């Protein structure tokens, strides 16, 4: 089980920016994929952005051009830079790590960090 520590959430006005950070307890070289998910009240959890071990990134359509997922090998961390934030981005954001164990992929979750976009 990989432990994930998230930080960087908060309250921001529409159009503002936030950067979320996630530090796994294991080397990111050992993690098949790192992602950011979010869950708004009354909605299902959705994948926002993901970065694979090879560095390939994927985004949900609603955040393309506004959010950027990146990683720092030196700091063993993954980040989500969120720009041009909208009220509909309000949610609890979770960091997730995908660990390949033989044929299975096991997912570890952080405890989440609240992002609120409001004027």
């Amino acid at each position: 089980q990989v432990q994930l520590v998230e930080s960087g959430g908060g309250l921001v006005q529409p159009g503002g920016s936030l950067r979320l950070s996630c530090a796994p307890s294991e080397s990111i070289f050992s993690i098949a994929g790192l992602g950011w998910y979010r869950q708004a009240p009354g909605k299902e959890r959705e994948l926002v952005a993901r970065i694979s071990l090879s560095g390939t990134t994927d985004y949900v359509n609603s955040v393309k051009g506004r959010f950027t997922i990146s990683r720092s090998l030196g700091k063993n961390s993954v980040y989500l830079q969120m720009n041009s934030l909208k009220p509909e981005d309000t949610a609890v954001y979770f960091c997730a790590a995908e660990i390949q164990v033989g044929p299975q992929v096991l997912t570890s979750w952080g405890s989440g960090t609240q992002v609120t976009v409001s004027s």
Side-chain angles (χ1 to χ4, degrees):
Q1 192 84 0
V2 178
Q3 306 300 314
L4 301 161
V5 179
E6 301 135 329
S7 61
L11 173 64
V12 64
Q13 292 186 342
S17 298
L18 281 175
R19 188 175 85 150
L20 305 183
S21 300
C22 174
S25 59
E26 297 184 14
S27 169
I28 60 177
F29 285 110
S30 67
I31 299 172
L34 285 161
W36 288 97
Y37 289 71
R38 66 185 179 188
Q39 187 165 20
K43 294 188 177 181
E44 293 189 355
R45 190 173 298 189
E46 67 170 348
L47 176 63
V48 176
R50 179 184 181 274
I51 185 165
S52 72
L53 184 59
S54 65
T56 301
T57 58
D58 293 291
Y59 300 90
V60 67
N61 285 339
S62 60
V63 308
K64 285 181 180 178
R66 300 189 297 123
F67 290 12
T68 303
I69 189 169
S70 63
R71 61 187 179 184
S72 167
L73 303 182
K75 294 185 178 181
N76 200 57
S77 295
V78 64
Y79 306 99
L80 185 67
Q81 178 66 43
M82 305 185 292
N83 298 328
S84 302
L85 282 160
K86 304 176 181 180
E88 51 264 42
D89 294 317
T90 296
V92 179
Y93 284 70
F94 299 88
C95 181
E98 303 162 9
I99 307 295
Q100 190 82 38
V101 181
Q104 289 185 307
V105 176
L106 304 179
T107 302
S108 293
W109 297 92
S111 59
T113 184
Q114 177 71 46
V115 171
T116 302
V117 185
S118 175
S119 55

